[in-house]
Amino acid sequence: MEHLLKLADLTGPQILQILDLADQLKYEKKRNIPHERLKGKTLGMIFEKSSTRTRVSFEAGMFQLGGHALFLSGRDLQLGRGESIKATARVLSRYVDGIMIRTYAQSDVEELARFSSVPVINGLTDAWHPCQVLADLMTVREQKGSLEGKKLCCVGDGNNMANSLLVGGLRTGMEVRIATPKGYPPSPQAMAVAAEYPGQFTWTDDRFAAAKDADVIFTDVWTSMGQEAQAQQRAQAFAGWQVNRELVSLAKPDVMIQHCLPAHIGEEIAEDVFEAHVPEIYEEAENRLHVQKAVLVLCMEGK
Ligand code: CP
Ligand code: NVA
């Protein structure tokens, strides 16, 4: 794999290859089997937005692979004083073996990849969150045995998570239903991918219909990072759009509930539902570590 910029760039088999390696690395980690496959390599991690899971899982993951990770805050880099993405890509490529970036515009990640001579990994943009959805698919496959034909329901904003779930779910053979309030649809780029899978995809503003017989229900915050100025307006538009007992009762009895975290308990998800599904939600968070290690190995090993 050259870069990981968005899941739309990958085929279903390529996604499954990442999940297979992630399963193997998780197995090795749990049994303390050494897997220092990136010995001596350095990952630069640029953060223009906050992060707990992404930062810590990438940094710990690089260490476990025998390498090293550098936390680079966008504010502290010259990037924050106007040095271009292009110039940043050119110089960082001389020092590090891979770059992970969390930022606003997807075009900045694409630009970084264009001018970087080392692999670039998208750690979240306004448009996509590929690493998260790889962890999500890993968790669903782990618990349900397979992805093919399973019903994935995503309730809430048509944001980076919904868009990535749409693409990742469809590419791996899941039946994908995205439920959003009117005015908060998936992105045109995600809908273009959906058009490749007629009969496997529904987008609706009826969250109850979307949840019917679901194998897994995903939700995410109503206001994503960078949208804080719209928080009030969004709270109104999303009122009632909560994964609660009523909604969950329509799904399969063994439905999984997933949330990328951080969660706003009492907004997009009811406290009792969250608490009842804590083990699988935190397994999902843990799987960020394993799946990203797989991505790092596939992008950086032997280069
Ligand atoms: N889910 C996720 O990406 O978490 P962080 O924002 O804490 O990295
Ligand atoms: N949609 C959220 C995801 C956070 C991991 C955001 O972009 O803020």
mmCIF file of all heavy atoms in Angstrom, residues 209-243:
data_model
loop_
_atom_site.group_PDB
_atom_site.id
_atom_site.type_symbol
_atom_site.label_atom_id
_atom_site.label_comp_id
_atom_site.label_asym_id
_atom_site.label_seq_id
_atom_site.Cartn_x
_atom_site.Cartn_y
_atom_site.Cartn_z
ATOM 1 N N ALA A 209 -36.624 2.725 10.419
ATOM 2 C CA ALA A 209 -36.564 1.774 9.294
ATOM 3 C C ALA A 209 -35.120 1.288 9.105
ATOM 4 O O ALA A 209 -34.880 0.105 8.844
ATOM 5 C CB ALA A 209 -37.081 2.435 8.017
ATOM 6 N N ALA A 210 -34.164 2.199 9.260
ATOM 7 C CA ALA A 210 -32.748 1.832 9.056
ATOM 8 C C ALA A 210 -32.264 0.842 10.112
ATOM 9 O O ALA A 210 -31.399 -0.001 9.841
ATOM 10 C CB ALA A 210 -31.881 3.089 9.078
ATOM 11 N N ALA A 211 -32.830 0.939 11.315
ATOM 12 C CA ALA A 211 -32.352 0.080 12.423
ATOM 13 C C ALA A 211 -32.958 -1.316 12.385
ATOM 14 O O ALA A 211 -32.474 -2.217 13.082
ATOM 15 C CB ALA A 211 -32.679 0.738 13.760
ATOM 16 N N LYS A 212 -33.997 -1.499 11.559
ATOM 17 C CA LYS A 212 -34.732 -2.778 11.569
ATOM 18 C C LYS A 212 -33.801 -3.954 11.209
ATOM 19 O O LYS A 212 -33.133 -3.933 10.188
ATOM 20 C CB LYS A 212 -35.894 -2.698 10.585
ATOM 21 C CG LYS A 212 -36.892 -3.805 10.793
ATOM 22 C CD LYS A 212 -38.186 -3.560 10.028
ATOM 23 C CE LYS A 212 -39.148 -4.716 10.092
ATOM 24 N NZ LYS A 212 -38.619 -6.032 10.288
ATOM 25 N N ASP A 213 -33.735 -4.926 12.117
ATOM 26 C CA ASP A 213 -32.935 -6.143 11.924
ATOM 27 C C ASP A 213 -31.441 -5.873 11.744
ATOM 28 O O ASP A 213 -30.722 -6.711 11.168
ATOM 29 C CB ASP A 213 -33.441 -6.958 10.708
ATOM 30 C CG ASP A 213 -34.843 -7.490 10.943
ATOM 31 O OD1 ASP A 213 -35.164 -7.807 12.110
ATOM 32 O OD2 ASP A 213 -35.626 -7.557 9.972
ATOM 33 N N ALA A 214 -30.965 -4.729 12.199
ATOM 34 C CA ALA A 214 -29.537 -4.409 12.036
ATOM 35 C C ALA A 214 -28.680 -5.369 12.858
ATOM 36 O O ALA A 214 -29.068 -5.792 13.951
ATOM 37 C CB ALA A 214 -29.278 -2.964 12.476
ATOM 38 N N ASP A 215 -27.502 -5.689 12.308
ATOM 39 C CA ASP A 215 -26.501 -6.470 13.050
ATOM 40 C C ASP A 215 -25.615 -5.552 13.871
ATOM 41 O O ASP A 215 -25.041 -5.964 14.870
ATOM 42 C CB ASP A 215 -25.625 -7.263 12.066
ATOM 43 C CG ASP A 215 -26.405 -8.353 11.370
ATOM 44 O OD1 ASP A 215 -26.719 -9.354 12.033
ATOM 45 O OD2 ASP A 215 -26.737 -8.186 10.173
ATOM 46 N N VAL A 216 -25.459 -4.322 13.379
ATOM 47 C CA VAL A 216 -24.617 -3.360 14.102
ATOM 48 C C VAL A 216 -25.161 -1.960 13.855
ATOM 49 O O VAL A 216 -25.544 -1.620 12.730
ATOM 50 C CB VAL A 216 -23.120 -3.485 13.700
ATOM 51 C CG1 VAL A 216 -22.912 -3.377 12.211
ATOM 52 C CG2 VAL A 216 -22.254 -2.448 14.419
ATOM 53 N N ILE A 217 -25.228 -1.172 14.935
ATOM 54 C CA ILE A 217 -25.665 0.226 14.822
ATOM 55 C C ILE A 217 -24.501 1.125 15.236
ATOM 56 O O ILE A 217 -23.919 0.943 16.312
ATOM 57 C CB ILE A 217 -26.881 0.524 15.731
ATOM 58 C CG1 ILE A 217 -28.078 -0.335 15.302
ATOM 59 C CG2 ILE A 217 -27.240 2.008 15.701
ATOM 60 C CD1 ILE A 217 -29.318 -0.160 16.199
ATOM 61 N N PHE A 218 -24.190 2.061 14.370
ATOM 62 C CA PHE A 218 -23.147 3.058 14.641
ATOM 63 C C PHE A 218 -23.786 4.418 14.861
ATOM 64 O O PHE A 218 -24.777 4.761 14.198
ATOM 65 C CB PHE A 218 -22.220 3.210 13.429
ATOM 66 C CG PHE A 218 -21.228 2.096 13.257
ATOM 67 C CD1 PHE A 218 -21.566 0.961 12.540
ATOM 68 C CD2 PHE A 218 -19.967 2.179 13.807
ATOM 69 C CE1 PHE A 218 -20.654 -0.074 12.370
ATOM 70 C CE2 PHE A 218 -19.051 1.154 13.640
ATOM 71 C CZ PHE A 218 -19.390 0.027 12.922
ATOM 72 N N THR A 219 -23.198 5.202 15.740
ATOM 73 C CA THR A 219 -23.568 6.606 15.791
ATOM 74 C C THR A 219 -22.326 7.428 16.111
ATOM 75 O O THR A 219 -21.258 6.882 16.410
ATOM 76 C CB THR A 219 -24.710 6.877 16.794
ATOM 77 O OG1 THR A 219 -25.173 8.217 16.592
ATOM 78 C CG2 THR A 219 -24.273 6.703 18.239
ATOM 79 N N ASP A 220 -22.458 8.733 16.020
ATOM 80 C CA ASP A 220 -21.329 9.639 16.266
ATOM 81 C C ASP A 220 -21.921 10.982 16.709
ATOM 82 O O ASP A 220 -23.133 11.206 16.602
ATOM 83 C CB ASP A 220 -20.499 9.778 14.969
ATOM 84 C CG ASP A 220 -19.232 10.598 15.150
ATOM 85 O OD1 ASP A 220 -18.802 10.808 16.308
ATOM 86 O OD2 ASP A 220 -18.666 11.056 14.128
ATOM 87 N N VAL A 221 -21.055 11.851 17.166
ATOM 88 C CA VAL A 221 -21.491 13.156 17.686
ATOM 89 C C VAL A 221 -22.275 13.955 16.640
ATOM 90 O O VAL A 221 -22.095 13.773 15.443
ATOM 91 C CB VAL A 221 -20.284 14.002 18.144
ATOM 92 C CG1 VAL A 221 -19.649 13.381 19.375
ATOM 93 C CG2 VAL A 221 -19.253 14.169 17.030
ATOM 94 N N TRP A 222 -23.115 14.841 17.135
ATOM 95 C CA TRP A 222 -23.890 15.714 16.242
ATOM 96 C C TRP A 222 -23.024 16.856 15.693
ATOM 97 O O TRP A 222 -23.277 17.366 14.612
ATOM 98 C CB TRP A 222 -25.083 16.306 17.012
ATOM 99 C CG TRP A 222 -26.069 15.273 17.463
ATOM 100 C CD1 TRP A 222 -26.234 14.011 16.952
ATOM 101 C CD2 TRP A 222 -27.049 15.419 18.505
ATOM 102 N NE1 TRP A 222 -27.254 13.372 17.615
ATOM 103 C CE2 TRP A 222 -27.768 14.209 18.566
ATOM 104 C CE3 TRP A 222 -27.386 16.450 19.389
ATOM 105 C CZ2 TRP A 222 -28.812 14.006 19.483
ATOM 106 C CZ3 TRP A 222 -28.418 16.248 20.295
ATOM 107 C CH2 TRP A 222 -29.119 15.040 20.334
ATOM 108 N N THR A 223 -22.040 17.267 16.493
ATOM 109 C CA THR A 223 -21.175 18.374 16.076
ATOM 110 C C THR A 223 -19.736 17.885 16.080
ATOM 111 O O THR A 223 -19.174 17.592 17.137
ATOM 112 C CB THR A 223 -21.332 19.570 17.054
ATOM 113 O OG1 THR A 223 -22.696 20.016 17.002
ATOM 114 C CG2 THR A 223 -20.419 20.722 16.687
ATOM 115 N N SER A 224 -19.152 17.788 14.907
ATOM 116 C CA SER A 224 -17.774 17.311 14.790
ATOM 117 C C SER A 224 -16.783 18.442 15.031
ATOM 118 O O SER A 224 -17.150 19.624 15.030
ATOM 119 C CB SER A 224 -17.553 16.732 13.388
ATOM 120 O OG SER A 224 -18.201 15.492 13.267
ATOM 121 N N MET A 225 -15.516 18.043 15.191
ATOM 122 C CA MET A 225 -14.458 19.033 15.402
ATOM 123 C C MET A 225 -14.414 19.994 14.207
ATOM 124 O O MET A 225 -14.430 19.546 13.055
ATOM 125 C CB MET A 225 -13.102 18.331 15.564
ATOM 126 C CG MET A 225 -12.998 17.565 16.863
ATOM 127 S SD MET A 225 -11.387 16.778 17.080
ATOM 128 C CE MET A 225 -11.601 15.283 16.122
ATOM 129 N N GLY A 226 -14.393 21.271 14.505
ATOM 130 C CA GLY A 226 -14.389 22.279 13.444
ATOM 131 C C GLY A 226 -15.763 22.856 13.167
ATOM 132 O O GLY A 226 -15.899 23.853 12.470
ATOM 133 N N GLN A 227 -16.819 22.218 13.722
ATOM 134 C CA GLN A 227 -18.196 22.688 13.465
ATOM 135 C C GLN A 227 -18.792 23.370 14.694
ATOM 136 O O GLN A 227 -20.012 23.542 14.770
ATOM 137 C CB GLN A 227 -19.086 21.494 13.080
ATOM 138 C CG GLN A 227 -18.631 20.777 11.826
ATOM 139 C CD GLN A 227 -19.427 19.511 11.553
ATOM 140 O OE1 GLN A 227 -19.964 18.896 12.465
ATOM 141 N NE2 GLN A 227 -19.499 19.114 10.296
ATOM 142 N N GLU A 228 -17.955 23.714 15.658
ATOM 143 C CA GLU A 228 -18.447 24.193 16.950
ATOM 144 C C GLU A 228 -19.413 25.378 16.810
ATOM 145 O O GLU A 228 -20.368 25.483 17.581
ATOM 146 C CB GLU A 228 -17.264 24.570 17.873
ATOM 147 C CG GLU A 228 -16.466 23.368 18.398
ATOM 148 C CD GLU A 228 -15.504 22.740 17.381
ATOM 149 O OE1 GLU A 228 -15.314 23.304 16.280
ATOM 150 O OE2 GLU A 228 -14.942 21.665 17.703
ATOM 151 N N ALA A 229 -19.188 26.229 15.822
ATOM 152 C CA ALA A 229 -20.064 27.398 15.655
ATOM 153 C C ALA A 229 -21.498 26.988 15.304
ATOM 154 O O ALA A 229 -22.435 27.766 15.511
ATOM 155 C CB ALA A 229 -19.499 28.326 14.579
ATOM 156 N N GLN A 230 -21.663 25.777 14.767
ATOM 157 C CA GLN A 230 -23.021 25.319 14.387
ATOM 158 C C GLN A 230 -23.673 24.469 15.473
ATOM 159 O O GLN A 230 -24.722 23.867 15.230
ATOM 160 C CB GLN A 230 -22.949 24.430 13.146
ATOM 161 C CG GLN A 230 -22.281 25.028 11.935
ATOM 162 C CD GLN A 230 -21.986 23.929 10.900
ATOM 163 O OE1 GLN A 230 -22.619 22.882 10.848
ATOM 164 N NE2 GLN A 230 -20.983 24.184 10.061
ATOM 165 N N ALA A 231 -23.066 24.378 16.644
ATOM 166 C CA ALA A 231 -23.517 23.409 17.656
ATOM 167 C C ALA A 231 -24.993 23.576 18.016
ATOM 168 O O ALA A 231 -25.726 22.591 18.104
ATOM 169 C CB ALA A 231 -22.644 23.500 18.898
ATOM 170 N N GLN A 232 -25.424 24.829 18.166
ATOM 171 C CA GLN A 232 -26.811 25.059 18.593
ATOM 172 C C GLN A 232 -27.808 24.613 17.529
ATOM 173 O O GLN A 232 -28.771 23.912 17.806
ATOM 174 C CB GLN A 232 -27.011 26.543 18.872
ATOM 175 C CG GLN A 232 -27.509 26.780 20.277
ATOM 176 C CD GLN A 232 -27.749 28.252 20.523
ATOM 177 O OE1 GLN A 232 -27.119 29.111 19.873
ATOM 178 N NE2 GLN A 232 -28.637 28.567 21.442
ATOM 179 N N GLN A 233 -27.516 25.027 16.312
ATOM 180 C CA GLN A 233 -28.372 24.689 15.171
ATOM 181 C C GLN A 233 -28.419 23.165 14.975
ATOM 182 O O GLN A 233 -29.475 22.588 14.707
ATOM 183 C CB GLN A 233 -27.749 25.392 13.963
ATOM 184 C CG GLN A 233 -28.252 25.053 12.606
ATOM 185 C CD GLN A 233 -27.206 25.508 11.549
ATOM 186 O OE1 GLN A 233 -26.470 26.482 11.757
ATOM 187 N NE2 GLN A 233 -27.137 24.793 10.441
ATOM 188 N N ARG A 234 -27.290 22.519 15.178
ATOM 189 C CA ARG A 234 -27.229 21.063 15.033
ATOM 190 C C ARG A 234 -28.010 20.364 16.151
ATOM 191 O O ARG A 234 -28.673 19.365 15.904
ATOM 192 C CB ARG A 234 -25.766 20.597 15.014
ATOM 193 C CG ARG A 234 -25.088 20.924 13.704
ATOM 194 C CD ARG A 234 -23.619 20.584 13.708
ATOM 195 N NE ARG A 234 -23.156 20.565 12.336
ATOM 196 C CZ ARG A 234 -23.162 19.499 11.547
ATOM 197 N NH1 ARG A 234 -23.527 18.329 12.027
ATOM 198 N NH2 ARG A 234 -22.776 19.577 10.301
ATOM 199 N N ALA A 235 -27.913 20.889 17.356
ATOM 200 C CA ALA A 235 -28.644 20.282 18.484
ATOM 201 C C ALA A 235 -30.137 20.267 18.168
ATOM 202 O O ALA A 235 -30.843 19.312 18.497
ATOM 203 C CB ALA A 235 -28.358 21.036 19.768
ATOM 204 N N GLN A 236 -30.617 21.303 17.497
ATOM 205 C CA GLN A 236 -32.041 21.360 17.114
ATOM 206 C C GLN A 236 -32.346 20.350 16.013
ATOM 207 O O GLN A 236 -33.301 19.584 16.094
ATOM 208 C CB GLN A 236 -32.402 22.759 16.632
ATOM 209 C CG GLN A 236 -32.691 23.699 17.788
ATOM 210 C CD GLN A 236 -32.763 25.161 17.346
ATOM 211 O OE1 GLN A 236 -32.782 25.470 16.159
ATOM 212 N NE2 GLN A 236 -32.786 26.054 18.326
ATOM 213 N N ALA A 237 -31.493 20.333 15.003
ATOM 214 C CA ALA A 237 -31.737 19.445 13.848
ATOM 215 C C ALA A 237 -31.675 17.972 14.243
ATOM 216 O O ALA A 237 -32.368 17.140 13.661
ATOM 217 C CB ALA A 237 -30.712 19.737 12.752
ATOM 218 N N PHE A 238 -30.838 17.649 15.239
ATOM 219 C CA PHE A 238 -30.632 16.242 15.623
ATOM 220 C C PHE A 238 -31.456 15.835 16.844
ATOM 221 O O PHE A 238 -31.324 14.703 17.314
ATOM 222 C CB PHE A 238 -29.145 15.969 15.874
ATOM 223 C CG PHE A 238 -28.323 15.947 14.616
ATOM 224 C CD1 PHE A 238 -27.731 17.105 14.126
ATOM 225 C CD2 PHE A 238 -28.147 14.775 13.898
ATOM 226 C CE1 PHE A 238 -26.993 17.103 12.960
ATOM 227 C CE2 PHE A 238 -27.413 14.756 12.729
ATOM 228 C CZ PHE A 238 -26.825 15.923 12.247
ATOM 229 N N ALA A 239 -32.294 16.745 17.348
ATOM 230 C CA ALA A 239 -33.091 16.421 18.540
ATOM 231 C C ALA A 239 -33.862 15.129 18.283
ATOM 232 O O ALA A 239 -34.530 14.990 17.252
ATOM 233 C CB ALA A 239 -34.032 17.566 18.861
ATOM 234 N N GLY A 240 -33.770 14.179 19.185
ATOM 235 C CA GLY A 240 -34.461 12.888 19.029
ATOM 236 C C GLY A 240 -33.643 11.859 18.278
ATOM 237 O O GLY A 240 -33.956 10.668 18.307
ATOM 238 N N TRP A 241 -32.607 12.304 17.593
ATOM 239 C CA TRP A 241 -31.771 11.366 16.824
ATOM 240 C C TRP A 241 -30.787 10.676 17.762
ATOM 241 O O TRP A 241 -29.576 10.897 17.701
ATOM 242 C CB TRP A 241 -31.054 12.087 15.682
ATOM 243 C CG TRP A 241 -31.971 12.255 14.517
ATOM 244 C CD1 TRP A 241 -33.014 13.139 14.414
ATOM 245 C CD2 TRP A 241 -31.971 11.479 13.317
ATOM 246 N NE1 TRP A 241 -33.661 12.961 13.220
ATOM 247 C CE2 TRP A 241 -33.043 11.957 12.525
ATOM 248 C CE3 TRP A 241 -31.178 10.443 12.829
ATOM 249 C CZ2 TRP A 241 -33.329 11.402 11.273
ATOM 250 C CZ3 TRP A 241 -31.458 9.906 11.587
ATOM 251 C CH2 TRP A 241 -32.532 10.396 10.826
ATOM 252 N N GLN A 242 -31.352 9.837 18.624
ATOM 253 C CA GLN A 242 -30.543 9.198 19.655
ATOM 254 C C GLN A 242 -30.630 7.675 19.507
ATOM 255 O O GLN A 242 -31.717 7.135 19.272
ATOM 256 C CB GLN A 242 -31.070 9.595 21.032
ATOM 257 C CG GLN A 242 -30.206 9.093 22.156
ATOM 258 C CD GLN A 242 -30.778 9.456 23.517
ATOM 259 O OE1 GLN A 242 -31.807 8.930 23.940
ATOM 260 N NE2 GLN A 242 -30.114 10.381 24.197
ATOM 261 N N VAL A 243 -29.510 7.031 19.667
ATOM 262 C CA VAL A 243 -29.518 5.565 19.749
ATOM 263 C C VAL A 243 -29.936 5.229 21.181
ATOM 264 O O VAL A 243 -29.158 5.361 22.110
ATOM 265 C CB VAL A 243 -28.145 4.973 19.371
ATOM 266 C CG1 VAL A 243 -28.132 3.470 19.598
ATOM 267 C CG2 VAL A 243 -27.821 5.299 17.920
#
